[in-house]
Amino acid sequence: PIEQHIRLEGQKFVRDDWTNVPESILSRIGKRLYHKPDHPLGILCQLIMQYLPAHDWLPYLSPITTPQHNFDDLGFPVGHPGRSKNDSYYINAGTMLRTHTSAHEVAAFGDGHERWLLAADVYRRDEIDATHYPIFHQCEGAFIIKDGTAATLLPAIEQIEMEIAGHRALVDDQSTINEAINWYQPHHERAEVDLLVRHLKATLNLLILKLFKRDGQTLQIRWLDDVFPFTSPSFQVEVFFGGKWLELLGCGIVLQRTLDRANVPGKLGWAFGLGLERIAMVLFGIPDIRLFWSNDARFLSQFETGKINQFVPYSKYPACYKDFSFWAPPEFHENDLCDLIRSVAGDLVEDVKLIDNFVHPKTGRTSKCYRTNYRSMDRSLSNEEINDLQKQVVAKALELGLEAR
Ligand code: PHE
């Protein structure tokens, strides 16, 4: 029988019909990988901190939050898909695990921080493959100044831009501030916002250069328009690395609503949020997101504080796949199946793919076939072990109302 309460970070929560956070997630809360100085995530955080020295580094913040802080305060509309049980983890109807570090913007500004950085674990229900994991990490940074004082930033901006000019960098700025999607906020002085945007772009370009620049190579950075409910104008930044464009971060001018909620009148500024795993995977050459959770010395011993060492895979163990075909009820959601598979197989599951999908012409019922790839990061799995895992997956799936074919 399932316990009635969830105990987490010294608190007790009552389960209800919103509860969907599985044990496999609960057991990982509080691990603070980004605080470990010789873990790739910790190394990356320290580098970011070092490259943005004027920013306060906020201390540990619990991932337990409310839809109010995670969504409402930031202006997410009522029907936004991120709010659904399919996309987010709820402890109960009023309590959830943060889906992004922006959930702390109001509190951070409200505490009086004007230049701050924060790293934290965030939680999203998603598919399973080498780059998706239901827990990942983000770093959020922000900078605000008194309204009407943006001109005082000019010397700092010029200095950062000069430093950038000293590197070989190609910045392709395709962003526009246009009324259709990327408007200036109504009460803002355009000249002020233009300066803050220039400061934001210079600051992030220099950070990206410091993180990604390799000797003798020109680094390409691309700025595009984006849309977030809590910034306007908003941008997205990409870097050309390892032969392709990599989406790095989202950012923009903080919406007045956020600062009002935080009770800091007369200020304006910018915020950005970046995914740490995505960056660490390319910088350190880590091929699978599960490795960040490895306790294997063959993984951990390869990294050193302050350095971006290239990961040398210690052998790829054989993978083994199993297919599962079933009739899916109309309310079937792929993320439910993925959580179920993780709850059985943990980090032994490498990816889950839909390989067949058809609607029966007469009955109208939908049949699906999912292929699960099992592979351990640190040992060979036996056939028996994999058969047993798959059996458990099928048994649990039937409990969930899926009908095996
Ligand atoms: N929170 C956004 C995300 O998770 C990123 C972001 C942070 C965008 C701050 C703008 C400002 O995608």
Side-chain angles (χ1 to χ4, degrees):
I2 297 180
E3 235 225 284
Q4 264 213 321
H5 293 100
I6 292 177
R7 276 163 227 277
L8 200 54
E9 306 239 287
Q11 287 170 269
K12 204 167 130 180
F13 301 92
V14 185
R15 288 178 188 271
D16 63 19
D17 53 359
W18 275 77
T19 308
N20 67 351
V21 50
E23 191 47 45
S24 55
I25 296 284
L26 292 174
S27 64
R28 297 229 151 136
I29 289 178
K31 294 270 188 244
R32 308 185 199 191
L33 298 177
Y34 49 92
H35 281 165
K36 298 190 191 301
D38 51 4
H39 186 280
L41 296 176
I43 295 167
L44 180 55
C45 278
Q46 291 215 328
L47 288 173
I48 294 173
M49 222 182 339
Q50 184 186 322
Y51 296 150
L52 293 173
H55 291 241
D56 304 335
W57 191 260
L58 305 190
Y60 176 77
L61 287 158
S62 167
I64 305 168
T65 186
T66 60
Q68 180 75 38
H69 289 136
N70 196 81
F71 296 124
D72 297 292
D73 284 354
L74 295 165
F76 281 77
V78 172
H80 193 278
R83 293 177 182 261
S84 74
K85 282 168 72 174
N86 191 50
D87 284 16
S88 296
Y89 287 111
Y90 285 85
I91 297 174
N92 57 36
T95 323
M96 66 181 300
L97 298 176
R98 69 181 153 227
T99 65
H100 58 168
T101 42
S102 304
H104 299 290
E105 280 194 8
V106 170
F109 290 126
D111 282 346
H113 297 286
E114 301 198 323
R115 295 161 191 216
W116 53 266
L117 278 170
L118 110 84
D121 37 329
V122 301
Y123 298 76
R124 291 185 199 173
R125 300 189 79 206
D126 217 329
E127 58 203 272
I128 299 183
D129 64 30
T131 58
H132 290 89
Y133 200 80
I135 316 178
F136 61 101
H137 296 81
Q138 287 187 328
C139 174
E140 185 111 354
F143 178 102
I144 52 170
I145 54 162
K146 204 162 138 358
D147 241 334
T149 65
T152 62
L153 290 175
L154 209 49
I157 294 172
E158 280 168 353
Q159 204 204 317
I160 305 170
E161 287 176 347
M162 269 218 327
E163 202 176 336
I164 292 171
H167 289 273
R168 280 212 277 170
L170 226 134
V171 180
D172 176 13
D173 189 350
Q174 300 183 12
S175 72
T176 56
I177 300 190
N178 70 71
E179 291 309 315
I181 59 158
N182 242 338
W183 55 88
Y184 289 93
Q185 295 173 49
H187 60 287
H188 280 164
E189 223 26 270
R190 291 184 174 214
E192 288 272 298
V193 174
D194 289 343
L195 274 171
L196 274 159
V197 167
R198 197 170 141 199
H199 183 255
L200 166 68
K201 287 180 175 169
T203 305
L204 292 181
N205 281 335
L206 188 58
L207 172 69
I208 293 165
L209 264 167
K210 288 184 172 174
L211 284 172
F212 285 90
K213 185 85 189 341
R214 294 294 167 269
D215 278 344
Q217 285 174 29
T218 303
L219 188 73
Q220 294 184 69
I221 301 173
R222 183 155 82 182
W223 282 75
L224 303 166
D225 289 316
D226 209 334
V227 179
F228 299 102
F230 42 94
T231 49
S232 192
S234 307
F235 312 101
Q236 168 194 144
V237 189
E238 299 180 337
V239 70
F240 195 76
F241 196 82
K244 49 179 178 239
W245 285 102
L246 173 76
E247 206 184 305
L248 273 189
L249 59 86
C251 61
I253 298 295
V254 177
L255 225 57
Q256 188 60 39
R257 183 201 305 101
T258 308
L259 298 169
D260 289 345
R261 295 269 144 104
N263 213 354
V264 283
K267 299 262 162 76
L268 84 165
W270 49 255
F272 72 87
L274 54 81
L276 290 169
E277 274 86 348
R278 189 196 279 267
I279 297 177
M281 285 178 87
V282 303
L283 285 181
F284 294 87
I286 296 171
D288 190 298
I289 195 164
R290 290 172 293 165
L291 282 162
F292 291 102
W293 295 90
S294 173
N295 289 315
D296 195 309
R298 288 171 298 177
F299 176 75
L300 295 171
S301 66
Q302 296 197 26
F303 305 102
E304 291 167 82
T305 308
K307 289 199 188 147
I308 299 185
N309 294 345
Q310 282 310 292
F311 174 64
V312 184
Y314 38 86
S315 129
K316 199 156 178 178
Y317 294 89
C320 178
Y321 70 78
K322 295 283 168 197
D323 293 345
F324 172 42
S325 300
F326 56 90
W327 295 108
E331 67 278 9
F332 171 77
H333 273 301
E334 184 170 295
N335 288 349
D336 293 333
L337 182 65
C338 288
D339 263 352
L340 182 156
I341 297 172
R342 278 205 206 273
S343 75
V344 171
D347 286 356
L348 298 180
V349 48
E350 181 166 278
D351 58 55
V352 176
K353 271 201 257 341
L354 178 65
I355 56 166
D356 188 45
N357 187 49
F358 80 89
V359 179
H360 191 282
K362 291 220 179 85
T363 63
R365 293 218 287 170
T366 304
S367 159
K368 292 182 186 281
C369 181
Y370 278 90
R371 175 164 293 176
T372 303
N373 221 7
Y374 294 98
R375 188 203 311 264
S376 164
M377 294 275 102
D378 28 59
R379 64 192 173 87
S380 283
L381 298 174
S382 70
N383 272 330
E384 250 183 356
E385 196 175 357
I386 293 166
N387 285 333
D388 183 55
L389 289 173
Q390 183 70 5
K391 239 198 236 157
Q392 290 182 52
V393 166
V394 173
K396 279 207 170 191
L398 302 187
E399 275 172 37
L400 205 80
L402 309 186
E403 192 185 320
R405 303 190 48 218

